[in-house]
Amino acid sequence: MKPKSLVNIDDYSRDDILRIIETASKFKKHPDRSLLKGLVCGTLFFEPSTRTRLSFETAINRLEGRIIGFSDTATSSATKGESLKDTIMMVSNYTDIIIMRHHLEGSARYASEVSPVPIINAGDGSNQHPTQTMLDIFSIHETQQTLENLTITIVGDLKYGRAVHSLIEGLSHFNPTFNFVAPEEMKIPDKHKLYCDKKSIKYQEFADFSPESINSADILYMTRVQKERFTDLMEYEKVKNVYTLRNEMLKDSKPNLKVLHPLPRVKEIDQDVDNNPKAYYFEQARNGIYTRQAVICDLLNIDVD
């Protein structure tokens, strides 16, 4: 029987998401446990990463697991022409679970189909980033004490932003309302709007970063315009600084509003926002440790209690 993997956020049902949130809450209270003692985790990062890789490694270290892998393909046999299948099969001989980031969409699904150990998708191109979604959803639940009937304003790169695409699917179980704020070049792809229509999810599109889109929101989710996804640098230059959140723009926002960002930020959130109590993006990044601990234990069928 194939092992469980987490490739897309829709691999999780509503009950799965709530279970991961509950487990992550336990880890946030007590992150240091011996649950992975004697187990080896493989981290295969074919694409650069800071927060995702380090939070996974911290999660594993706090559970007393061991880590092997690479964070630069130049140090792997991929430079010699080794196929993804052969890399996965080789590393699965040495590990109990594999965490993989790759630049090709669909690579994580393929890896899960050939691997005899669980695969966690740490980002596949502009497709999905399910553990980012889980830490986002955990952060939303932490700050709002609910996931139901919230208004989420998502700003910036909605075309290539895999965290955005995963978040839409992850929140679909909880009757959200979305405000999509993007220039024409970065608009949310039609397939995600069709997904919202199919799920009867309400949404509006804005070209301007208007007070309406901010002041109606419970969560303001800012994103970076991703230079690495552009084939035309002139197009990137045109849109890279199109929206910037400044502290004064939050003055009429809802008292419960929290500002999230998958990070890294460039200029889309001014540093004068950092001291505003509505800024939650650094705590959000910390929450990645606890949600990734929860996901790893869930896939390995480890009882946290």
Side-chain angles (χ1 to χ4, degrees):
M1 189 173 79
K2 293 297 293 179
K4 290 191 301 181
S5 291
L6 178 57
V7 174
N8 282 21
I9 193 61
D10 62 8
D11 292 335
Y12 277 168
S13 67
R14 174 191 170 93
D15 287 345
D16 291 330
I17 289 171
L18 294 174
R19 185 182 69 255
I20 296 295
I21 288 173
E22 182 180 0
T23 305
S25 296
K26 296 175 183 177
F27 280 125
K28 189 162 188 174
K29 293 173 183 173
H30 303 290
D32 298 314
R33 307 178 188 224
S34 301
L35 297 174
L36 295 183
K37 197 166 187 177
L39 298 180
V40 179
C41 304
T43 54
L44 309 184
F45 280 77
F46 294 86
E47 217 182 25
S49 172
T50 302
R51 274 145 300 279
T52 300
R53 181 174 61 84
L54 292 181
S55 68
F56 264 118
E57 292 183 0
T58 302
I60 294 162
N61 282 320
R62 289 194 176 279
L63 296 176
E64 298 188 18
R66 286 171 288 174
I67 302 162
I68 65 168
F70 55 81
S71 58
D72 182 353
T73 52
T75 64
S76 78
S77 289
T79 59
K80 302 174 185 177
E82 183 175 61
S83 68
L84 178 59
K85 178 182 179 180
D86 285 4
T87 299
I88 294 296
M89 295 303 294
M90 181 271 296
V91 174
S92 69
N93 288 327
Y94 312 142
T95 61
D96 299 284
I97 191 168
I98 293 173
I99 299 147
M100 187 182 88
R101 169 170 286 192
H102 200 283
H103 61 280
L104 291 178
E105 293 186 20
S107 55
R109 178 64 69 196
Y110 175 74
S112 73
E113 290 170 353
V114 301
S115 175
V117 301
I119 298 287
I120 297 178
N121 181 7
D124 61 330
S126 59
N127 183 34
Q128 286 263 333
H129 195 349
T131 61
Q132 177 70 49
T133 301
M134 280 311 310
L135 76 89
D136 292 343
I137 291 176
F138 177 73
S139 298
I140 293 169
H141 189 271
E142 283 270 290
T143 61
Q144 307 300 316
Q145 298 302 303
T146 185
L147 294 173
E148 301 287 352
N149 305 314
L150 298 174
T151 297
I152 317 292
T153 293
I154 307 179
V155 182
D157 183 359
L158 311 191
K159 181 178 181 180
Y160 298 115
R162 58 192 172 197
V164 171
H165 304 158
S166 294
L167 186 62
I168 292 168
E169 293 186 19
L171 287 175
S172 66
H173 304 284
F174 304 101
N175 193 37
T177 297
F178 290 115
N179 294 324
F180 297 132
V181 181
E184 184 66 29
E185 297 86 349
M186 296 284 94
K187 283 178 63 174
I188 192 79
D190 287 343
K191 68 177 182 179
H192 297 292
K193 290 189 284 186
L194 290 170
Y195 179 88
C196 289
D197 293 337
K198 182 179 177 181
K199 297 283 187 177
S200 300
I201 296 170
K202 299 182 290 296
Y203 64 88
Q204 296 184 77
E205 292 187 85
F206 297 83
D208 297 323
F209 194 12
S210 64
E212 178 189 355
S213 66
I214 297 172
N215 298 339
S216 64
D218 301 295
I219 295 292
L220 180 56
Y221 194 94
M222 301 296 298
T223 70
R224 171 179 67 95
V225 176
Q226 301 176 78
K227 183 178 182 180
E228 63 272 25
R229 305 290 175 213
F230 283 78
T231 54
D232 183 347
L233 286 182
M234 291 295 290
E235 185 181 0
Y236 167 74
E237 290 295 327
K238 187 164 68 171
V239 298
K240 66 177 182 178
N241 295 323
V242 67
Y243 304 128
T244 301
L245 177 66
R246 297 181 174 82
N247 194 48
E248 63 183 21
M249 297 166 67
L250 298 173
K251 67 181 189 305
D252 295 321
S253 61
K254 295 168 72 169
N256 62 303
L257 176 80
K258 287 294 185 285
V259 180
L260 304 185
H261 192 307
L263 300 178
R265 70 171 164 184
V266 185
K267 294 183 178 179
E268 60 277 359
I269 300 179
D270 196 283
Q271 293 194 15
D272 70 359
V273 178
D274 293 356
N275 293 326
N276 190 312
K278 295 179 179 181
Y280 195 75
Y281 28 89
F282 295 124
E283 182 70 18
Q284 174 191 3
R286 184 182 296 114
N287 287 340
I289 298 169
Y290 318 123
T291 52
R292 286 169 175 138
Q293 286 179 313
V295 168
I296 290 169
C297 289
D298 185 68
L299 293 178
L300 291 174
N301 297 310
I302 294 172
D303 185 353
V304 174
D305 294 321

Short mmCIF file of all heavy atoms in Angstrom, two decimals, residues 230-282:
data_model
loop_
_atom_site.label_atom_id
_atom_site.label_comp_id
_atom_site.label_asym_id
_atom_site.label_seq_id
_atom_site.Cartn_x
_atom_site.Cartn_y
_atom_site.Cartn_z
N PHE A 230 9.33 34.95 -13.64
CA PHE A 230 9.15 35.72 -14.88
C PHE A 230 10.17 35.30 -15.94
O PHE A 230 11.36 35.15 -15.65
CB PHE A 230 9.31 37.22 -14.60
CG PHE A 230 8.12 37.86 -13.94
CD1 PHE A 230 7.90 37.70 -12.58
CD2 PHE A 230 7.22 38.61 -14.68
CE1 PHE A 230 6.81 38.28 -11.98
CE2 PHE A 230 6.13 39.21 -14.08
CZ PHE A 230 5.92 39.04 -12.72
N THR A 231 9.68 35.13 -17.15
CA THR A 231 10.59 34.92 -18.27
C THR A 231 10.92 36.26 -18.95
O THR A 231 11.92 36.38 -19.64
CB THR A 231 9.96 33.98 -19.32
OG1 THR A 231 8.68 34.49 -19.71
CG2 THR A 231 9.78 32.59 -18.72
N ASP A 232 10.08 37.27 -18.73
CA ASP A 232 10.28 38.60 -19.31
C ASP A 232 10.56 39.57 -18.16
O ASP A 232 9.65 39.93 -17.41
CB ASP A 232 9.02 39.02 -20.09
CG ASP A 232 9.20 40.37 -20.78
OD1 ASP A 232 10.17 41.09 -20.47
OD2 ASP A 232 8.33 40.71 -21.62
N LEU A 233 11.82 40.00 -18.01
CA LEU A 233 12.19 40.88 -16.89
C LEU A 233 11.57 42.26 -17.03
O LEU A 233 11.37 42.97 -16.03
CB LEU A 233 13.71 41.00 -16.80
CG LEU A 233 14.42 39.75 -16.23
CD1 LEU A 233 15.93 39.99 -16.14
CD2 LEU A 233 13.87 39.38 -14.86
N MET A 234 11.24 42.69 -18.25
CA MET A 234 10.56 43.97 -18.42
C MET A 234 9.17 43.92 -17.77
O MET A 234 8.73 44.89 -17.15
CB MET A 234 10.43 44.29 -19.92
CG MET A 234 11.75 44.62 -20.58
SD MET A 234 12.48 46.15 -19.94
CE MET A 234 11.33 47.35 -20.61
N GLU A 235 8.51 42.79 -17.89
CA GLU A 235 7.20 42.62 -17.25
C GLU A 235 7.35 42.67 -15.74
O GLU A 235 6.54 43.29 -15.05
CB GLU A 235 6.56 41.29 -17.68
CG GLU A 235 5.14 41.10 -17.16
CD GLU A 235 4.53 39.77 -17.57
OE1 GLU A 235 5.20 39.00 -18.27
OE2 GLU A 235 3.39 39.51 -17.17
N TYR A 236 8.40 42.03 -15.22
CA TYR A 236 8.64 42.07 -13.77
C TYR A 236 8.88 43.50 -13.29
O TYR A 236 8.32 43.92 -12.28
CB TYR A 236 9.84 41.19 -13.42
CG TYR A 236 10.33 41.40 -12.01
CD1 TYR A 236 9.62 40.91 -10.91
CD2 TYR A 236 11.51 42.11 -11.76
CE1 TYR A 236 10.06 41.13 -9.62
CE2 TYR A 236 11.96 42.34 -10.47
CZ TYR A 236 11.23 41.84 -9.41
OH TYR A 236 11.66 42.07 -8.12
N GLU A 237 9.72 44.24 -14.00
CA GLU A 237 10.04 45.61 -13.60
C GLU A 237 8.78 46.48 -13.56
O GLU A 237 8.66 47.38 -12.73
CB GLU A 237 11.07 46.22 -14.56
CG GLU A 237 12.47 45.64 -14.44
CD GLU A 237 13.12 45.92 -13.10
OE1 GLU A 237 12.85 47.00 -12.53
OE2 GLU A 237 13.89 45.07 -12.62
N LYS A 238 7.83 46.19 -14.43
CA LYS A 238 6.61 46.99 -14.50
C LYS A 238 5.71 46.80 -13.28
O LYS A 238 5.01 47.70 -12.86
CB LYS A 238 5.85 46.63 -15.80
CG LYS A 238 4.64 47.53 -16.05
CD LYS A 238 4.16 47.42 -17.50
CE LYS A 238 3.58 46.06 -17.79
NZ LYS A 238 2.91 46.01 -19.12
N VAL A 239 5.76 45.59 -12.67
CA VAL A 239 4.79 45.29 -11.60
C VAL A 239 5.43 45.07 -10.23
O VAL A 239 4.70 44.91 -9.25
CB VAL A 239 3.97 44.03 -11.97
CG1 VAL A 239 3.17 44.26 -13.24
CG2 VAL A 239 4.84 42.80 -12.10
N LYS A 240 6.76 45.10 -10.12
CA LYS A 240 7.41 44.63 -8.89
C LYS A 240 7.05 45.46 -7.66
O LYS A 240 6.98 44.93 -6.56
CB LYS A 240 8.92 44.59 -9.07
CG LYS A 240 9.58 45.96 -9.27
CD LYS A 240 11.09 45.81 -9.38
CE LYS A 240 11.76 47.17 -9.53
NZ LYS A 240 13.24 47.04 -9.59
N ASN A 241 6.80 46.76 -7.83
CA ASN A 241 6.51 47.61 -6.66
C ASN A 241 5.12 48.25 -6.77
O ASN A 241 4.89 49.35 -6.27
CB ASN A 241 7.57 48.70 -6.52
CG ASN A 241 8.94 48.13 -6.21
OD1 ASN A 241 9.06 47.15 -5.48
ND2 ASN A 241 9.97 48.74 -6.77
N VAL A 242 4.18 47.52 -7.39
CA VAL A 242 2.90 48.14 -7.68
C VAL A 242 2.08 48.41 -6.42
O VAL A 242 1.32 49.39 -6.37
CB VAL A 242 2.12 47.28 -8.70
CG1 VAL A 242 1.71 45.94 -8.12
CG2 VAL A 242 0.91 48.03 -9.24
N TYR A 243 2.21 47.59 -5.39
CA TYR A 243 1.46 47.80 -4.15
C TYR A 243 2.41 47.76 -2.96
O TYR A 243 3.24 46.85 -2.84
CB TYR A 243 0.41 46.70 -3.94
CG TYR A 243 -0.57 46.52 -5.07
CD1 TYR A 243 -0.77 45.26 -5.63
CD2 TYR A 243 -1.29 47.61 -5.58
CE1 TYR A 243 -1.68 45.08 -6.66
CE2 TYR A 243 -2.19 47.44 -6.62
CZ TYR A 243 -2.38 46.17 -7.16
OH TYR A 243 -3.27 46.00 -8.18
N THR A 244 2.26 48.73 -2.06
CA THR A 244 3.02 48.74 -0.81
C THR A 244 2.06 49.07 0.32
O THR A 244 1.34 50.07 0.27
CB THR A 244 4.15 49.78 -0.84
OG1 THR A 244 5.04 49.47 -1.92
CG2 THR A 244 4.93 49.78 0.47
N LEU A 245 2.04 48.21 1.34
CA LEU A 245 1.24 48.47 2.54
C LEU A 245 2.04 49.33 3.50
O LEU A 245 3.16 48.99 3.87
CB LEU A 245 0.87 47.14 3.22
CG LEU A 245 0.07 47.27 4.52
CD1 LEU A 245 -1.32 47.85 4.26
CD2 LEU A 245 -0.03 45.92 5.23
N ARG A 246 1.44 50.45 3.89
CA ARG A 246 2.05 51.35 4.88
C ARG A 246 1.16 51.42 6.12
O ARG A 246 -0.04 51.19 6.05
CB ARG A 246 2.27 52.74 4.28
CG ARG A 246 3.26 52.73 3.11
CD ARG A 246 3.50 54.11 2.54
NE ARG A 246 4.55 54.07 1.52
CZ ARG A 246 4.36 53.73 0.25
NH1 ARG A 246 3.13 53.39 -0.17
NH2 ARG A 246 5.36 53.70 -0.61
N ASN A 247 1.79 51.77 7.22
CA ASN A 247 1.09 51.73 8.51
C ASN A 247 -0.18 52.59 8.49
O ASN A 247 -1.22 52.18 9.02
CB ASN A 247 2.03 52.19 9.62
CG ASN A 247 1.49 51.88 11.00
OD1 ASN A 247 1.05 50.77 11.26
ND2 ASN A 247 1.51 52.86 11.88
N GLU A 248 -0.12 53.75 7.88
CA GLU A 248 -1.27 54.66 7.88
C GLU A 248 -2.47 54.05 7.15
O GLU A 248 -3.62 54.43 7.42
CB GLU A 248 -0.88 55.98 7.21
CG GLU A 248 -0.49 55.81 5.74
CD GLU A 248 -0.03 57.11 5.08
OE1 GLU A 248 0.38 58.03 5.81
OE2 GLU A 248 -0.09 57.17 3.84
N MET A 249 -2.24 53.11 6.27
CA MET A 249 -3.33 52.49 5.52
C MET A 249 -4.17 51.56 6.39
O MET A 249 -5.26 51.14 5.99
CB MET A 249 -2.76 51.72 4.32
CG MET A 249 -2.04 52.61 3.32
SD MET A 249 -1.02 51.69 2.12
CE MET A 249 -2.26 50.83 1.17
N LEU A 250 -3.68 51.24 7.58
CA LEU A 250 -4.41 50.33 8.48
C LEU A 250 -5.25 51.06 9.51
O LEU A 250 -5.92 50.43 10.32
CB LEU A 250 -3.40 49.43 9.22
CG LEU A 250 -2.56 48.51 8.34
CD1 LEU A 250 -1.49 47.82 9.18
CD2 LEU A 250 -3.44 47.48 7.65
N LYS A 251 -5.27 52.40 9.46
CA LYS A 251 -5.90 53.16 10.54
C LYS A 251 -7.39 52.92 10.67
O LYS A 251 -7.94 53.00 11.78
CB LYS A 251 -5.61 54.66 10.38
CG LYS A 251 -6.24 55.33 9.16
CD LYS A 251 -5.85 56.80 9.10
CE LYS A 251 -6.60 57.58 8.04
NZ LYS A 251 -6.50 57.01 6.69
N ASP A 252 -8.09 52.60 9.60
CA ASP A 252 -9.53 52.35 9.65
C ASP A 252 -9.88 50.86 9.48
O ASP A 252 -11.03 50.52 9.24
CB ASP A 252 -10.25 53.16 8.57
CG ASP A 252 -10.13 54.67 8.79
OD1 ASP A 252 -10.19 55.09 9.96
OD2 ASP A 252 -9.95 55.41 7.80
N SER A 253 -8.89 50.01 9.60
CA SER A 253 -9.14 48.58 9.43
C SER A 253 -9.82 47.99 10.66
O SER A 253 -9.86 48.61 11.74
CB SER A 253 -7.83 47.84 9.16
OG SER A 253 -6.94 48.00 10.25
N LYS A 254 -10.37 46.80 10.53
CA LYS A 254 -11.10 46.15 11.61
C LYS A 254 -10.16 45.86 12.79
O LYS A 254 -8.98 45.55 12.58
CB LYS A 254 -11.75 44.86 11.10
CG LYS A 254 -12.83 45.12 10.05
CD LYS A 254 -13.26 43.85 9.34
CE LYS A 254 -14.09 42.95 10.21
NZ LYS A 254 -14.73 41.87 9.41
N PRO A 255 -10.67 45.93 14.01
CA PRO A 255 -9.81 45.69 15.19
C PRO A 255 -9.15 44.32 15.19
O PRO A 255 -8.04 44.16 15.69
CB PRO A 255 -10.79 45.83 16.38
CG PRO A 255 -11.92 46.66 15.85
CD PRO A 255 -12.04 46.33 14.40
N ASN A 256 -9.82 43.34 14.61
CA ASN A 256 -9.29 41.98 14.60
C ASN A 256 -8.36 41.69 13.42
O ASN A 256 -7.83 40.58 13.30
CB ASN A 256 -10.44 40.96 14.58
CG ASN A 256 -11.28 41.09 13.33
OD1 ASN A 256 -11.84 42.15 13.03
ND2 ASN A 256 -11.42 40.01 12.56
N LEU A 257 -8.17 42.66 12.53
CA LEU A 257 -7.35 42.42 11.34
C LEU A 257 -5.94 41.99 11.72
O LEU A 257 -5.33 42.53 12.63
CB LEU A 257 -7.25 43.70 10.50
CG LEU A 257 -6.33 43.56 9.27
CD1 LEU A 257 -7.05 42.87 8.13
CD2 LEU A 257 -5.79 44.91 8.82
N LYS A 258 -5.42 40.99 10.97
CA LYS A 258 -4.01 40.63 11.06
C LYS A 258 -3.42 40.62 9.66
O LYS A 258 -4.07 40.19 8.69
CB LYS A 258 -3.84 39.26 11.72
CG LYS A 258 -4.12 39.28 13.22
CD LYS A 258 -3.09 40.11 13.97
CE LYS A 258 -3.26 40.07 15.49
NZ LYS A 258 -4.42 40.89 15.93
N VAL A 259 -2.19 41.12 9.57
CA VAL A 259 -1.46 41.17 8.30
C VAL A 259 -0.53 39.96 8.24
O VAL A 259 0.32 39.76 9.12
CB VAL A 259 -0.64 42.46 8.17
CG1 VAL A 259 0.11 42.48 6.83
CG2 VAL A 259 -1.54 43.69 8.31
N LEU A 260 -0.71 39.14 7.20
CA LEU A 260 0.12 37.97 6.98
C LEU A 260 0.95 38.14 5.71
O LEU A 260 0.60 38.94 4.83
CB LEU A 260 -0.74 36.71 6.86
CG LEU A 260 -1.69 36.36 8.01
CD1 LEU A 260 -2.36 35.01 7.75
CD2 LEU A 260 -0.98 36.35 9.34
N HIS A 261 2.02 37.38 5.62
CA HIS A 261 2.87 37.38 4.43
C HIS A 261 3.67 36.09 4.46
O HIS A 261 4.25 35.74 5.49
CB HIS A 261 3.82 38.58 4.46
CG HIS A 261 4.55 38.84 3.17
ND1 HIS A 261 5.29 37.87 2.51
CD2 HIS A 261 4.66 39.96 2.40
CE1 HIS A 261 5.83 38.39 1.40
NE2 HIS A 261 5.46 39.65 1.32
N PRO A 262 3.74 35.33 3.34
CA PRO A 262 4.51 34.09 3.35
C PRO A 262 6.02 34.31 3.43
O PRO A 262 6.76 33.37 3.72
CB PRO A 262 4.11 33.40 2.05
CG PRO A 262 3.65 34.51 1.16
CD PRO A 262 3.02 35.53 2.06
N LEU A 263 6.48 35.55 3.18
CA LEU A 263 7.88 35.93 3.24
C LEU A 263 8.71 35.13 2.22
O LEU A 263 8.31 34.04 1.84
CB LEU A 263 8.43 35.76 4.66
CG LEU A 263 7.74 36.59 5.75
CD1 LEU A 263 8.36 36.29 7.12
CD2 LEU A 263 7.79 38.08 5.46
N PRO A 264 9.82 35.69 1.71
CA PRO A 264 10.41 36.95 2.11
C PRO A 264 9.67 38.15 1.52
O PRO A 264 9.06 38.02 0.46
CB PRO A 264 11.81 36.87 1.51
CG PRO A 264 11.64 36.02 0.28
CD PRO A 264 10.60 35.00 0.65
N ARG A 265 9.72 39.25 2.22
CA ARG A 265 9.15 40.49 1.66
C ARG A 265 10.25 41.28 0.98
O ARG A 265 11.43 41.13 1.30
CB ARG A 265 8.49 41.33 2.75
CG ARG A 265 9.46 41.95 3.72
CD ARG A 265 8.80 42.95 4.64
NE ARG A 265 9.66 43.26 5.79
CZ ARG A 265 9.30 44.03 6.78
NH1 ARG A 265 8.11 44.59 6.82
NH2 ARG A 265 10.13 44.24 7.80
N VAL A 266 9.85 42.11 0.06
CA VAL A 266 10.79 43.03 -0.57
C VAL A 266 10.35 44.45 -0.20
O VAL A 266 10.80 44.99 0.81
CB VAL A 266 10.85 42.81 -2.10
CG1 VAL A 266 11.92 43.70 -2.73
CG2 VAL A 266 11.18 41.34 -2.42
N LYS A 267 9.41 45.02 -0.96
CA LYS A 267 8.93 46.37 -0.64
C LYS A 267 7.42 46.41 -0.48
O LYS A 267 6.84 47.49 -0.38
CB LYS A 267 9.37 47.37 -1.72
CG LYS A 267 10.87 47.57 -1.78
CD LYS A 267 11.26 48.63 -2.80
CE LYS A 267 12.77 48.85 -2.81
NZ LYS A 267 13.18 49.87 -3.82
N GLU A 268 6.76 45.25 -0.45
CA GLU A 268 5.30 45.24 -0.42
C GLU A 268 4.72 45.51 0.97
O GLU A 268 3.54 45.83 1.10
CB GLU A 268 4.75 43.93 -1.00
CG GLU A 268 5.19 42.68 -0.27
CD GLU A 268 6.55 42.19 -0.71
OE1 GLU A 268 7.17 42.82 -1.60
OE2 GLU A 268 6.99 41.17 -0.14
N ILE A 269 5.53 45.41 2.02
CA ILE A 269 5.12 45.87 3.36
C ILE A 269 6.21 46.79 3.87
O ILE A 269 7.36 46.38 4.06
CB ILE A 269 4.94 44.70 4.35
CG1 ILE A 269 3.87 43.72 3.88
CG2 ILE A 269 4.56 45.23 5.74
CD1 ILE A 269 3.66 42.53 4.82
N ASP A 270 5.86 48.05 4.10
CA ASP A 270 6.82 49.00 4.64
C ASP A 270 7.20 48.60 6.06
O ASP A 270 6.39 48.05 6.81
CB ASP A 270 6.21 50.41 4.63
CG ASP A 270 7.26 51.48 4.80
OD1 ASP A 270 7.73 51.69 5.94
OD2 ASP A 270 7.62 52.13 3.80
N GLN A 271 8.44 48.86 6.44
CA GLN A 271 8.88 48.47 7.77
C GLN A 271 8.17 49.23 8.88
O GLN A 271 8.22 48.80 10.04
CB GLN A 271 10.40 48.63 7.89
CG GLN A 271 11.14 47.63 7.00
CD GLN A 271 12.61 47.51 7.33
OE1 GLN A 271 13.08 47.95 8.37
NE2 GLN A 271 13.36 46.91 6.41
N ASP A 272 7.47 50.32 8.55
CA ASP A 272 6.72 51.02 9.60
C ASP A 272 5.49 50.23 10.05
O ASP A 272 4.87 50.56 11.07
CB ASP A 272 6.33 52.45 9.17
CG ASP A 272 5.27 52.52 8.07
OD1 ASP A 272 4.81 51.46 7.59
OD2 ASP A 272 4.90 53.65 7.70
N VAL A 273 5.15 49.15 9.33
CA VAL A 273 4.03 48.29 9.74
C VAL A 273 4.48 47.31 10.83
O VAL A 273 3.65 46.83 11.61
CB VAL A 273 3.48 47.51 8.52
CG1 VAL A 273 2.36 46.56 8.93
CG2 VAL A 273 2.99 48.47 7.44
N ASP A 274 5.78 47.05 10.94
CA ASP A 274 6.27 45.97 11.80
C ASP A 274 5.85 46.13 13.25
O ASP A 274 5.61 45.13 13.95
CB ASP A 274 7.80 45.88 11.72
CG ASP A 274 8.29 45.41 10.35
OD1 ASP A 274 7.45 45.08 9.49
OD2 ASP A 274 9.52 45.39 10.16
N ASN A 275 5.78 47.35 13.74
CA ASN A 275 5.44 47.58 15.15
C ASN A 275 3.95 47.70 15.40
O ASN A 275 3.52 47.88 16.55
CB ASN A 275 6.17 48.83 15.67
CG ASN A 275 7.67 48.64 15.72
OD1 ASN A 275 8.16 47.54 15.98
ND2 ASN A 275 8.42 49.70 15.45
N ASN A 276 3.17 47.62 14.34
CA ASN A 276 1.72 47.65 14.50
C ASN A 276 1.27 46.29 15.06
O ASN A 276 1.69 45.25 14.55
CB ASN A 276 1.05 47.92 13.14
CG ASN A 276 -0.43 48.21 13.25
OD1 ASN A 276 -1.17 47.50 13.91
ND2 ASN A 276 -0.87 49.27 12.57
N PRO A 277 0.44 46.26 16.10
CA PRO A 277 -0.01 44.97 16.65
C PRO A 277 -0.78 44.12 15.65
O PRO A 277 -0.99 42.92 15.90
CB PRO A 277 -0.88 45.37 17.84
CG PRO A 277 -1.22 46.81 17.64
CD PRO A 277 -0.09 47.41 16.87
N LYS A 278 -1.18 44.69 14.53
CA LYS A 278 -1.88 43.92 13.51
C LYS A 278 -0.91 43.15 12.61
O LYS A 278 -1.35 42.29 11.85
CB LYS A 278 -2.78 44.83 12.67
CG LYS A 278 -3.91 45.45 13.50
CD LYS A 278 -4.80 46.38 12.70
CE LYS A 278 -5.92 46.93 13.60
NZ LYS A 278 -6.84 47.82 12.87
N ALA A 279 0.38 43.46 12.71
CA ALA A 279 1.38 42.73 11.93
C ALA A 279 1.63 41.39 12.59
O ALA A 279 1.97 41.31 13.78
CB ALA A 279 2.67 43.53 11.86
N TYR A 280 1.48 40.30 11.81
CA TYR A 280 1.61 38.96 12.39
C TYR A 280 2.55 38.07 11.59
O TYR A 280 2.70 36.90 11.88
CB TYR A 280 0.21 38.32 12.46
CG TYR A 280 0.12 37.10 13.35
CD1 TYR A 280 0.13 37.20 14.75
CD2 TYR A 280 0.05 35.82 12.80
CE1 TYR A 280 0.06 36.09 15.56
CE2 TYR A 280 -0.03 34.69 13.61
CZ TYR A 280 -0.02 34.83 14.99
OH TYR A 280 -0.10 33.72 15.79
N TYR A 281 3.25 38.61 10.61
CA TYR A 281 3.98 37.77 9.66
C TYR A 281 5.20 37.08 10.27
O TYR A 281 5.55 35.97 9.84
CB TYR A 281 4.38 38.55 8.39
CG TYR A 281 4.58 40.03 8.57
CD1 TYR A 281 5.81 40.56 8.91
CD2 TYR A 281 3.50 40.91 8.39
CE1 TYR A 281 5.99 41.92 9.08
CE2 TYR A 281 3.67 42.27 8.55
CZ TYR A 281 4.91 42.78 8.90
OH TYR A 281 5.07 44.13 9.07
N PHE A 282 5.85 37.67 11.27
CA PHE A 282 6.98 36.98 11.88
C PHE A 282 6.51 35.85 12.79
O PHE A 282 7.12 34.77 12.83
CB PHE A 282 7.87 37.97 12.63
CG PHE A 282 8.54 38.98 11.72
CD1 PHE A 282 8.38 40.34 11.94
CD2 PHE A 282 9.30 38.56 10.63
CE1 PHE A 282 8.98 41.26 11.09
CE2 PHE A 282 9.89 39.49 9.77
CZ PHE A 282 9.73 40.84 10.01
#
